[in-house]
């Protein structure tokens, strides 16, 4: 038994040593890039940014009713939503087909609004003197699958002081993304590095996921073995010679002590990061699946707006309308610079609950709660929208639906596994805890402290790893200084009683 324990300990030491050498640089990159991501998120087009660029709706030019637009779309089943907004000087209806395609029809004639060319994209983006246009199928900022129905793009560089670039869908004419020089530059050392988000790799979603799972899994094992060894070699009672609590000297001593202080934080970050990749599909997605959204929309029904009513509503919606079907009834939402707001027959909690009950296939509704403040499972880091309705169901997965009471939109689905993931990833990796999220400076300070402690641990590990490599290559290295440093390190470790 003693022999087996010694053998296991030796393999633990060797495994941690060489895996640490192999992954040490990754740890350093993850720490640095994670701190960048606290302040510079991955580029996206927020709803507020989208609305700012919309032109005021030309209500007098609208000649096609919403019901007629739905018929002209030629889809076997009505879409769940319908948008009326401007595309340049043309009012258009936009909708998503069941297969994900985006359909755009002229609200003046009802005819399909065809693809836009480079000149049209330049006008839609508001490009001035010096602006340029490039055609892009997929690049670093549009790599994910959610952009697939909108490809290809015209990338319009506005030639402004911020270095703004707008992505206009060639098929629909929608502005779908904006980036600035600041965002692009910092994201190369932030999210792109942190997520290993290189375009040729990320474009192959399954390959990217498998690679990140393996790399982060090996890194998690390395961190865990280091934490185990650090505690194992610590002596608070039967101390080492000269009353030391660690057997190491020199840089190894600093690495051991840094691991005791920062190792838990580093291990937590790495393990929770690995869990974020959803190994073995343990956690369900927060995004409601398409069949649930379709069931929530309910049976096909007519919108029932004539031109007079449409223009009357339009007086309250300077930028257009968003029409959403909930439980077979259409809800009208007006668009202005501040966002969306219900006009007329707004969805109430009873209608939302009835539609959600149909979507959940008859699962018993245990309760409806209106949240006016964030709590453990609804954080400003996730959305920030308030108030919201939380609908709890007694299905096998103990599902919760979070719904915007103003629009009736399902914001997310949170089942038992999602609530576990909220603690195992969101809380641990992002420090998404009410006491910290409610005080952003405290959360930033906690992030910096934990990452700096982890940084000391990683830096000392990198130095030890470099010296170990020099030691192994000493006989063949043309650099005597490297060999001398490695020999000194080896001598120091032997004096400290370390066999690792």
């Amino acid at each position: 038994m003693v022999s087996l324990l010694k053998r296991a300990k030796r393999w633990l030491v060797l495994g941690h040593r060489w895996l640490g050498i192999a992954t040490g640089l990754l740890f350093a990159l993850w720490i640095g890039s994670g701190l960048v991501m606290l302040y510079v998120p991955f580029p996206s087009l927020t709803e507020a940014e989208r609305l700012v660029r919309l032109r005021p709706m030309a209500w007098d030019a609208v000649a096609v009713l919403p019901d007629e637009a739905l018929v002209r779309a030629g889809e076997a089943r009505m879409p769940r939503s319908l948008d009326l907004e401007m595309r340049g000087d043309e009012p258009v209806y936009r909708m998503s087909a069941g297969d994900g395609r985006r359909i755009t029809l002229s609200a003046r004639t009802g005819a399909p609004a065809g693809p836009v060319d480079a000149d049209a994209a330049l006008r839609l983006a508001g490009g001035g003197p010096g602006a340029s246009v490039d055609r892009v199928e997929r690049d670093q900022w549009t790599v994910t699958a959610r952009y697939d129905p909108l490809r290809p793009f015209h990338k319009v560089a506005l030639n402004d002081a911020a270095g703004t670039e707008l992505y206009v869908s060639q098929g629909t004419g929608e502005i779908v993304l904006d980036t600035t020089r600041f965002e692009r530059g910092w994201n190369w050392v932030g999210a792109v590095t942190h997520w290993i988000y290189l375009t040729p790799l990320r474009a192959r979603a399954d390959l990217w996921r498998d690679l990140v799972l393996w790399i982060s899994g090996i890194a998690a094992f390395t961190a865990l073995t280091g934490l185990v060894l650090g505690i194992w070699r610590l002596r608070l009672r039967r101390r080492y010679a000269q009353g030391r609590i660690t057997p190491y000297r020199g840089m190894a001593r600093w690495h051991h002590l840094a691991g005791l202080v920062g190792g838990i934080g580093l291990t937590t970050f790495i393990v929770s990061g690995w869990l974020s990749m959803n190994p073995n599909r343990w956690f369900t997605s927060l995004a409601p699946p398409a069949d649930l959204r379709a069931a929530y929309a309910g049976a096909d029904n007519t919108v029932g707006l004539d031109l007079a009513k449409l223009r009357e509503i339009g007086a309250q919606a300077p930028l257009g309308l968003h029409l959403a079907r909930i439980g077979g009834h259409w809800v009208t939402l007006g668009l202005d610079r501040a966002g969306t707001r219900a006009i007329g027959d707004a969805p109430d909690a009873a209608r939302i609950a009835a539609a959600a009950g149909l979507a959940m296939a008859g699962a018993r509704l245990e309760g409806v709660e209106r949240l006016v403040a964030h709590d453990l499972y609804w954080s400003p880091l996730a959305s920030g929208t308030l108030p919201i309705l939380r609908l709890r169901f007694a299905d096998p997965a103990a599902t919760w639906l979070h719904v915007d009471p103003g629009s009736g939109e399902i914001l997310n689905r949170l089942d038992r596994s999602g609530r576990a993931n909220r603690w195992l990833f969101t809380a641990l990796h992002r420090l998404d805890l009410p006491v910290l999220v409610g005080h952003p400076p405290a959360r930033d300070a906690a992030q910096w402290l934990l990452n700096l402690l982890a940084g000391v641990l990683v830096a000392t590990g990198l130095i030890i790893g470099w010296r170990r490599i020099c030691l192994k290559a000493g006989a063949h290295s043309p650099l005597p200084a490297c060999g001398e440093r490695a020999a000194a390190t080896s001598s120091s470790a032997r004096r400290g009683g370390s066999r690792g």
Side-chain angles (χ1 to χ4, degrees):
M1 185 64 181
V2 174
S3 175
L4 183 63
L5 191 61
K6 285 184 177 180
R7 196 177 303 119
K9 183 177 179 181
R10 175 163 179 76
W11 279 109
L12 193 65
V13 170
L14 290 173
H16 177 71
R17 175 196 297 166
W18 293 108
L19 287 176
I21 289 173
T23 60
L25 187 57
L26 277 173
F27 280 108
L29 291 173
W30 279 329
I31 291 170
S33 59
L35 289 172
V36 171
M37 290 176 67
L38 287 176
Y39 307 102
V40 188
F42 195 76
S44 65
L45 184 72
T46 66
E47 180 65 5
E49 290 171 335
R50 188 185 80 84
L51 292 174
V52 163
R53 295 189 178 278
L54 278 183
R55 297 188 185 184
M57 171 58 63
W59 288 105
D60 291 341
V62 177
V64 176
L65 296 174
D67 288 316
E68 184 181 354
L70 291 169
V71 171
R72 293 203 180 203
E75 294 298 306
R77 184 171 178 81
M78 285 186 183
R80 296 187 303 275
S81 64
L82 178 67
D83 294 288
L84 174 60
E85 58 188 41
M86 295 297 287
R87 189 177 94 168
D89 297 326
E90 181 77 5
V92 295
Y93 286 103
R94 301 190 189 277
M95 63 195 87
S96 294
D99 59 4
R101 289 178 298 108
R102 292 286 288 168
I103 300 171
T104 305
L105 303 176
S106 169
R108 192 192 306 268
T109 65
V116 299
D117 59 19
D119 290 337
L122 190 62
R123 291 193 297 273
L124 289 170
S132 60
V133 184
D134 291 317
R135 186 180 184 278
V136 172
E137 180 69 30
R138 184 191 306 267
D139 68 2
Q140 185 63 55
W141 317 116
T142 59
V143 66
T144 56
R146 69 189 181 92
Y147 289 107
D148 287 351
L150 299 161
R151 303 185 195 280
F153 306 104
H154 295 294
K155 183 174 72 173
V156 182
L158 297 184
N159 193 35
D160 59 355
T164 305
E165 294 179 352
L166 301 178
Y167 290 75
V168 181
S169 171
Q170 179 177 300
T172 70
E174 296 171 79
I175 296 176
V176 299
L177 177 66
D178 65 346
T179 71
T180 64
R181 186 183 302 109
F182 179 86
E183 289 176 323
R184 294 189 299 271
W186 278 107
N187 263 275
W188 280 107
V189 294
V192 174
T193 298
H194 201 79
W195 296 336
I196 316 179
Y197 227 58
L198 300 173
T199 302
L201 177 62
R202 184 60 184 86
R204 298 164 175 81
D206 290 338
L207 174 62
W208 170 77
R209 179 178 179 274
D210 289 343
L211 180 66
V212 175
L213 268 172
W214 276 101
I215 290 176
S216 58
I218 292 170
F221 180 77
T222 303
L224 284 168
T225 57
L227 189 60
V228 170
L229 282 171
I231 296 172
W232 198 344
R233 301 308 298 269
L234 176 68
R235 287 188 185 177
L236 296 177
R237 292 186 177 180
R238 295 172 52 253
R239 297 197 175 192
Y240 297 98
Q242 300 176 358
R244 290 181 287 115
I245 62 174
T246 173
Y248 305 105
R249 292 185 179 179
M251 191 59 64
R253 176 175 180 270
W254 285 109
H255 185 65
H256 186 198
L257 296 176
L260 293 172
V261 177
I264 293 178
L266 178 63
T267 302
T268 299
F269 281 138
I270 299 301
V271 172
S272 60
W274 175 70
L275 289 172
S276 75
M277 297 304 298
N278 199 5
N280 205 35
R281 309 292 182 184
W282 288 330
F283 311 110
T284 55
S285 171
L286 296 181
D291 58 348
L292 187 144
R293 287 189 180 276
Y296 181 74
D300 292 347
N301 204 346
T302 57
V303 178
L305 293 177
D306 59 25
L307 281 178
K309 184 63 175 177
L310 192 66
R311 288 170 182 169
E312 178 186 332
I313 291 173
Q316 307 173 56
L319 298 182
L321 297 178
H322 174 71
L323 303 168
R325 201 169 80 252
I326 300 171
H329 300 277
W330 286 91
V331 175
T332 303
L333 302 170
L335 305 181
D336 58 27
R337 301 297 180 199
T340 62
R341 58 188 178 86
I343 296 176
D345 187 16
D348 57 20
R351 181 188 296 181
I352 289 171
L358 292 174
M360 291 297 295
R364 181 169 58 87
L365 179 62
E366 290 189 318
V368 178
E369 180 183 3
R370 184 181 178 90
L371 299 183
V372 295
H374 296 104
D375 67 2
L376 293 176
Y377 294 99
W378 187 252
S379 164
L381 295 183
S383 170
T385 300
L386 283 173
I388 60 117
L389 296 179
R390 174 178 292 155
L391 288 73
R392 303 171 186 256
F393 289 89
D395 62 315
T399 300
W400 297 356
L401 297 181
H402 288 120
V403 180
D404 182 342
S407 67
E409 178 189 2
I410 299 177
L411 301 176
N412 76 17
R413 178 191 63 170
L414 195 64
D415 64 10
R416 190 178 290 108
S417 74
R419 292 191 289 277
N421 189 40
R422 180 263 179 276
W423 291 106
L424 294 174
F425 167 63
T426 313
L428 297 179
H429 200 77
R430 303 180 66 191
L431 298 190
D432 186 356
L433 301 167
V435 66
L436 294 177
V437 172
H439 303 85
R443 179 172 174 266
D444 284 359
Q447 285 277 14
W448 276 93
L449 176 62
L450 290 173
N451 277 280
L452 288 175
L453 289 173
V456 173
L457 172 59
V458 170
T460 54
L462 286 171
I463 294 171
I464 293 170
W466 170 249
R467 290 175 176 176
R468 174 64 62 175
I469 292 172
C470 287
L471 176 64
K472 291 295 183 182
H476 308 285
S477 173
L479 301 173
C482 179
E484 291 168 6
R485 287 196 300 269
T489 302
S490 177
S491 174
S492 174
R494 285 195 298 271
R495 287 195 305 271
S498 170
R499 302 179 66 89

